[in-house]
Amino acid sequence: MVRRLLLAVLFACMCAPALAQTAPEVATDLPAAVAEEEIAVSSAYSGSYITVFGVNPDRRGRGDIVVVLRGPEERATIMRKRRVFGVLVNGDPVRFADAPAFFAVLSNRPIRQIASPQAIWAYGLDPAAAARLDSEVPPTADPSAYRAALVRLRTAQGLYQVHTGRPAQSETRAGLTMYQGGLFRAVVRLPANAPIAQYYADTYLFRDGRLISRQRVPITVSRVGIERRIHDLAVNASFFYGLLTVALALFSGWIAALIFRRT
Amino acid sequence: MIYLPIAEMPVNVLLVLLVSGGVGFVSGLVGVGGGFIMTPSLIFLGVPAPVAVATGASQIAATSFSGIMTQTRRKSVDWRMGLLLSIGGIVGSTLGVWLFERLLRLGQLDLIVSVLYLLLLAGVGWLMLAESIAVIRGRSSGAVTILRRPARTIAHQLPFRMRFPRSGLYISVIPPLALGFFIGALAAVMGVGGGFILIPAMIYLLRMPTNVVVGTSLFQVLVVTVLIVILQSTATQTVDLVLAALLMVGGVVGAQFGARLGAGLKGEHIRALLGLLLLAASAKFAADIVIPPAEMYTLGGGQW
């Protein structure tokens, strides 16, 4: 609760100056919804698709749509390998606070044609802009290289995705497609390694580089069935869970020894 | 494919069974827990490192217990020695878990673990290989092998001596306690059972006969890994029950086949095999910390 409050205050602090200079009156009435508001993680879970759809309220269809899917914010450390006496050592750690564990941005046009660099930074419309630097960067190092490394490493894991300026692709199915009458539909693949947490789908309507309207829709990813029971046991009754694991280990060892004695 | 509730990722069931079966086979053959192959294999499959370390311990516990069941029928566990080693191991691994957390916070855990692996595996592997090759050569040329066992080591000079009937030893209790402590601490830091260091140490330091070494080390490894599983479950909650079950099935079946084959092999052949294995593993660790990778940056967790 305190953490969430802190984040909210932080978010407000970060956005306030930007909001003041770009668009003081941003509406929050953009009609947008998510097809999968609740995603159930069972033992057969192997990732999911998330579909965000909505309508551009402008009758002549002016403006651009940006959809951002954000995972929980967490801390991350990036270290660079250095050679010390011929051996590679992880050194020069740089810390990031509020680096989203999952981040996907989708838009109908390349994001730099839609929003100004200031707006991209203020609203966190780019994976590099979403993470916040939280420590001193070593004097010899370049902070943007660390930021780029964070994005590169998370992109390689499929946790950061950029699908800007293109409709949904047939092979990945991810992308944002505009239809007649201002209807839009964005599809993102949520990989199985994305954390089980609360996600938010943020939809932004930009016109002439200015933010006109926005909408936030929560998406809950949670465990169900046996997955949930095991996880709850591990968290709420961890000592018992440890004993259970040990018992299982001894039992399987005993069974194996027994079976192989007979044969 | 099955989704792991704690690791939060799907894995291929057959692949995990195959890997754990292979590791179990080797562990049954030479009497090590196999953690030093299992943990890196799991990380290679994409399992987060803390989950791999903690869950691997439960698999080692299962494999060691199954191994002990087989070994006791061959009367090859020195219970008294095992108990002393375990007491040292319990204290050592508790300290080791604390040290593990410290190093993790400093962000230097990877390097320390790699260097430790490199030095220990290379040193122990070379020692075993050289020694067993000498024995095998000596035997094939018809020369008489002289038993070095009665040689007196420091274990015979220290106070608090105790009789170990099954090993035929009358030595101080300090070296087994210290050895257990050292192995326990090392095991917790490196995420392994520690059998691969314990076995040579028992042979060369304590001068225990080879036939009781395997069973006794399995006993110590069992006690330490059971403790680690419970400590990790309560402290870090990184033990994945589903993954553990998969590893156990593969591990114990493999271990049984390994133990069967191992019973038909000569001691020096087993040691030569283990020596080769350790040298191969150390070469991999050497490559990892010397050859620059394509990606010079690494992503760490949120601990600081």
Side-chain angles (χ1 to χ4, degrees):
Chain A
M1 193 59 219
V2 175
R3 195 183 135 81
R4 191 165 291 179
L5 219 102
L6 260 165
L7 282 177
V9 170
L10 249 161
F11 188 75
C13 292
M14 273 163 63
C15 293
L19 281 168
Q21 53 178 265
T22 47
E25 71 298 337
V26 175
T28 54
D29 59 350
L30 182 63
V34 175
E36 303 87 358
E37 286 185 346
E38 288 189 5
I39 294 170
V41 175
S42 65
S43 58
Y45 181 71
S46 60
S48 174
Y49 282 99
I50 291 176
T51 307
V52 182
F53 56 89
V55 179
N56 181 351
D58 190 279
R59 250 181 286 165
R60 277 175 286 174
R62 291 172 303 173
D64 297 292
I65 299 291
V66 180
V67 173
V68 181
L69 190 70
R70 290 188 175 90
E73 287 175 339
E74 55 181 39
R75 305 189 291 188
T77 311
I78 295 287
M79 294 200 281
R80 196 173 50 151
K81 291 198 195 304
R82 274 183 313 169
R83 210 171 265 284
V84 178
F85 301 114
V87 169
L88 291 169
V89 178
N90 282 337
D92 308 335
V94 167
R95 290 156 189 165
F96 289 91
D98 305 340
F102 180 84
F103 186 95
V105 56
L106 305 99
S107 61
N108 58 323
R109 283 201 295 156
I111 199 96
R112 292 194 184 284
Q113 296 174 16
I114 296 173
S116 62
Q118 289 85 357
I120 290 174
W121 196 260
Y123 300 116
L125 302 182
D126 184 85
R132 200 165 56 80
L133 209 60
D134 196 56
S135 72
E136 296 274 313
V137 175
T140 53
D142 175 15
S144 62
Y146 278 90
R147 204 176 275 279
L150 174 71
V151 173
R152 196 166 60 239
L153 288 164
R154 285 263 168 89
T155 303
Q157 294 175 321
L159 295 174
Y160 284 7
Q161 300 174 19
V162 176
H163 307 285
T164 54
R166 61 172 195 197
Q169 306 287 302
S170 55
E171 65 269 32
T172 59
R173 286 173 62 192
L176 190 143
T177 318
M178 303 290 273
Y179 297 94
Q180 289 285 318
L183 187 71
F184 64 87
R185 188 180 71 126
V187 182
V188 184
R189 166 104 183 127
L190 188 67
N193 60 340
I196 296 172
Q198 180 75 54
Y199 287 72
Y200 290 99
D202 289 309
T203 308
Y204 304 86
L205 171 64
F206 281 90
R207 197 186 297 144
D208 307 323
R210 274 200 327 128
L211 182 65
I212 303 297
S213 183
R214 57 194 285 178
Q215 177 69 268
R216 163 162 277 208
V217 183
I219 301 163
T220 308
V221 181
S222 58
R223 298 174 179 82
V224 293
I226 187 83
E227 298 290 308
R228 184 182 198 112
R229 248 175 264 163
I230 292 175
H231 182 260
D232 286 356
L233 198 67
V235 172
N236 301 330
S238 49
F239 183 71
F240 175 72
Y241 179 84
L243 287 183
L244 190 72
T245 312
V246 168
L248 187 70
L250 298 187
F251 179 72
S252 59
W254 178 66
I255 285 286
L258 211 67
I259 290 171
F260 281 84
R261 188 194 306 193
R262 298 278 152 82
T263 50
Chain B
M1 298 294 273
I2 189 166
Y3 190 83
L4 304 175
I6 306 295
E8 299 193 352
M9 59 169 291
V11 289
N12 190 324
V13 175
L14 271 178
L15 192 65
V16 172
L17 285 179
L18 212 69
V19 167
S20 56
V23 173
F25 181 79
V26 173
S27 74
L29 189 63
V30 295
V32 295
F36 69 100
I37 326 169
M38 181 62 91
T39 309
S41 308
L42 287 178
I43 293 169
F44 182 73
L45 289 179
V47 176
V51 178
V53 168
T55 310
S58 71
Q59 186 268 339
I60 298 167
T63 315
S64 334
F65 190 65
S66 150
I68 285 177
M69 300 282 294
T70 319
Q71 297 287 347
T72 44
R73 290 202 300 278
R74 299 212 297 260
K75 297 255 183 247
S76 53
V77 180
D78 185 336
W79 298 106
R80 191 174 285 186
M81 182 68 83
L83 203 69
L84 279 180
L85 287 168
S86 302
I87 292 167
I90 287 167
V91 181
S93 57
T94 312
L95 186 91
V97 168
W98 175 81
L99 200 67
F100 184 90
E101 206 201 342
R102 276 277 110 129
L103 287 171
L104 198 66
R105 276 175 202 281
L106 286 172
Q108 296 304 337
L109 186 69
D110 294 5
L111 178 75
I112 299 287
V113 168
S114 294
V115 171
L116 275 178
Y117 263 117
L118 177 62
L119 295 178
L120 282 166
L121 296 184
V124 172
W126 181 249
L127 193 71
M128 297 188 84
L129 190 65
E131 200 265 352
S132 46
I133 284 175
V135 172
I136 294 166
R137 277 226 187 107
R139 182 159 298 174
S140 61
S141 64
V144 180
T145 324
I146 300 150
L147 269 174
R148 312 148 286 98
R149 256 227 310 128
R152 295 175 71 83
T153 61
I154 191 157
H156 295 81
Q157 276 128 40
L158 288 167
F160 308 114
R161 292 176 71 171
M162 198 183 214
R163 229 167 260 288
F164 297 95
R166 196 154 283 169
S167 305
L169 289 175
Y170 181 52
I171 58 166
S172 164
V173 298
I174 294 172
L177 281 176
L179 182 62
F181 175 84
F182 176 69
I183 299 295
L186 216 57
V189 172
M190 295 166 70
V192 296
F196 67 100
I197 311 159
L198 190 56
I199 290 178
M202 285 159 94
I203 296 172
Y204 298 108
L205 238 66
L206 303 181
R207 302 286 176 187
M208 282 171 72
T210 315
N211 60 324
V212 297
V213 159
V214 172
T216 310
S217 85
L218 280 175
F219 177 72
Q220 197 264 358
V221 166
L222 174 68
V223 172
V224 169
T225 49
V226 162
L227 183 76
I228 288 174
V229 168
I230 292 177
L231 278 181
Q232 296 277 24
S233 295
T234 44
T236 58
Q237 287 156 8
T238 46
V239 178
D240 195 304
L241 197 55
V242 175
L243 181 61
L246 286 177
L247 295 182
M248 284 170 199
V249 172
V252 291
V253 171
Q256 286 294 331
F257 281 110
R260 207 138 288 229
L261 188 65
L265 278 176
K266 291 198 184 74
E268 54 268 24
H269 287 151
I270 295 181
R271 275 179 282 157
L273 211 64
L274 182 58
L276 269 179
L277 201 73
L278 298 188
L279 281 181
S282 72
K284 201 216 161 277
F285 280 100
D288 279 355
I289 60 171
V290 173
I291 298 169
E295 177 62 80
M296 288 302 278
Y297 292 87
T298 49
L299 179 61
Q303 313 89 356
W304 68 69

